[in-house]
């Protein structure tokens, strides 16, 4: 009897966990979180630094 272990994706940005088949991939093949749209890969940290953070309104 064979048993297939399910594969999961855990987002490093928001901590959400999804089955691997529910996760989309960008043009370079890196996974994108379905919940927060954070990408993983070698340029992910640069995108986080370059993206302006919303300011709190007074």
């Amino acid at each position: 009897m064979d048993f297939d272990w399910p594969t999961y994706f855990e987002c490093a940005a928001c901590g959400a966990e999804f089955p691997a088949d529910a996760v989309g991939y960008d043009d370079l093949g890196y996974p994108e979180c379905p919940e927060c749209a954070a990408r993983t890969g070698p340029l992910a940290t640069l995108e986080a630094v370059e993206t302006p953070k919303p300011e709190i309104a007074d």
Side-chain angles (χ1 to χ4, degrees):
M1 181 173 177
D2 290 334
F3 181 78
D4 292 326
W5 289 97
T7 305
Y8 290 95
F9 167 80
E10 183 177 351
C11 179
C14 69
E17 191 173 293
F18 300 96
D21 60 351
V23 177
Y25 295 86
D26 66 6
D27 294 336
L28 296 175
Y30 293 108
E32 297 177 312
C33 178
E35 181 141 336
C36 71
R39 297 190 321 158
T40 59
L43 299 177
T45 56
L46 294 176
E47 290 175 351
V49 170
E50 293 174 0
T51 305
K53 295 188 174 153
E55 300 289 327
I56 298 175
D58 290 331

